[in-house]
Amino acid sequence: MLLTAETVLTGRELLRPGWIGVSGTTVTDVGAGPPPRRADRDLGAATVVPGFVDTHVHGGGGSEFSAADSAATRAAVDLHHRHGTTTVVASLVSAAPAELLQQVVVLAGQVHDGTIAGIHLEGPWLAAGRCGAHDPALLRDPDDELDRVLAAGDGTIRMVTLAPERAGALTAIERIVAAGAVAAVGHTDASYEQTRAAIEAGATVGTHLFNAMRPIHHREPGPVIALLEDSRVTVELITDGVHVDGALYRHVVRSAGPDRVTLITDAMAAAGMADGAYRIGRLEVTVAGGIATLTGTSTIAGSTATMDRVFRFAVEHSGLPRDRALQEAVAATSVNPARALGLPVPELEAGARADLVVLDTNLGVSGVMLAGAWL
């Protein structure tokens, strides 16, 4: 199959016009200018980008991954697939020990069968004072439970978020990394020095920077500055128009550099759904005007965003010429998240899995290809 489009962003370069050859599940070749033969499908004025990689997402389509049910997982994955996310890492909120273990066992099977690309444990080893939409009664220090959970994951746990100020956290980070997973700093009231110690222990991701995190103070820079200034760390941002301002997005990209920023949805069950009552783990959530909050509070409880929305926000708020903005958005939604978690990078190049998103002139999704098949 040969595809042509006005603009193709491969993850490395911008081609205008561009063409992509696909055979079976794989990209065979990519080029600029006139195609080598007549196109099987001319996408016209579209922009083609690599499939989105969402490494922090709790659910969507009315379902959440914490349900640990094949139908619920499939519903959430299908919703995000339709919005261009071809690689989904399922995030779990804090849960009781037995429940967490059961969730990991079920989701590990869903990684092995290809439904999801991995598991992200967001808790339960978090700071109670920065719990966000996690039940504070379920938060605890990491101990031997961590080893049992990692073993149950059987290599499918890609990332674990924890607060480095909790007792045993630095040793836990070393164990997470030794198990082949990524340790992330988040939901934390850690000082600058405690965050530096976590990075030295092996933490390489900052979980949704600024959100559920001690803020910057001019005499105590805290975790944000420690994470931003270390070149070994990739920082997540939820660019849904709710969690961070556009000016802050621009500042982070210029401070950390475009290769160290990952855009995520942090989506919960209400993504792709109408306003109403939902749950995240054990907690009740109310969605009004597309904004999810813990019922009866102003605490944000994840998002209702999909990756096409965070991609569009990044382009529109970059402050850059459009072509450069598109290239930075591709890096932040596809290349960087995959590299940060050691997943296959979905660049459009020969030999890569044929995962791509077709965007119209308003950056809305008009087509999605997953492993060479149109969805």
Side-chain angles (χ1 to χ4, degrees), residues 276-303:
Y278 296 89
R279 299 185 69 85
I280 186 164
R282 294 182 179 181
L283 303 180
E284 295 182 355
V285 175
T286 299
V287 178
I291 299 174
T293 56
L294 294 181
T295 300
T297 78
S298 60
T299 300
I300 299 174
S303 88

Side-chain angles (χ1 to χ4, degrees), residues 35 113 135 174 196 243 270 295 298 300 335 346 373:
D113 70 18
D135 185 343
E174 294 172 352
R196 289 290 314 149
H243 283 78
T295 300
S298 60
I300 299 174
V335 178

Side-chain angles (χ1 to χ4, degrees), residues 328-350:
E328 287 198 357
V330 166
T333 56
S334 297
V335 178
N336 299 347
R339 286 180 177 163
L341 267 61
L343 297 166
V345 179
E347 291 175 317
L348 298 178
E349 61 180 8

Side-chain angles (χ1 to χ4, degrees), residues 203-229:
T204 54
V205 168
T207 296
H208 45 52
L209 197 70
F210 301 106
N211 295 113
M213 188 174 286
R214 178 192 285 210
I216 299 169
H217 187 277
H218 56 285
R219 288 189 295 273
E220 168 44 64
V224 172
I225 298 300
L227 294 164
L228 279 175
E229 71 180 7

Side-chain angles (χ1 to χ4, degrees), residues 212-254:
M213 188 174 286
R214 178 192 285 210
I216 299 169
H217 187 277
H218 56 285
R219 288 189 295 273
E220 168 44 64
V224 172
I225 298 300
L227 294 164
L228 279 175
E229 71 180 7
D230 197 298
S231 62
R232 294 170 290 184
V233 176
T234 298
V235 294
E236 296 179 348
L237 286 175
I238 312 170
T239 54
D240 62 342
V242 176
H243 283 78
V244 296
D245 187 83
L248 203 60
Y249 165 70
R250 292 191 294 275
H251 175 75
V252 168
V253 175
R254 302 302 161 251

Side-chain angles (χ1 to χ4, degrees), residues 20-84:
I20 306 165
V22 176
S23 179
T25 63
T26 306
V27 175
T28 56
D29 47 0
V30 179
R37 58 181 176 80
R38 182 182 179 88
D40 297 294
R41 185 165 177 176
D42 179 11
L43 300 170
T47 296
V48 178
V49 300
F52 301 134
V53 178
D54 195 353
T55 55
H56 189 152
V57 51
H58 294 278
S63 298
E64 60 176 353
F65 295 120
S66 294
D69 173 82
S70 59
T73 297
R74 188 74 259 170
V77 169
D78 285 349
L79 180 279
H80 289 288
H81 278 173
R82 293 196 300 273
H83 288 270

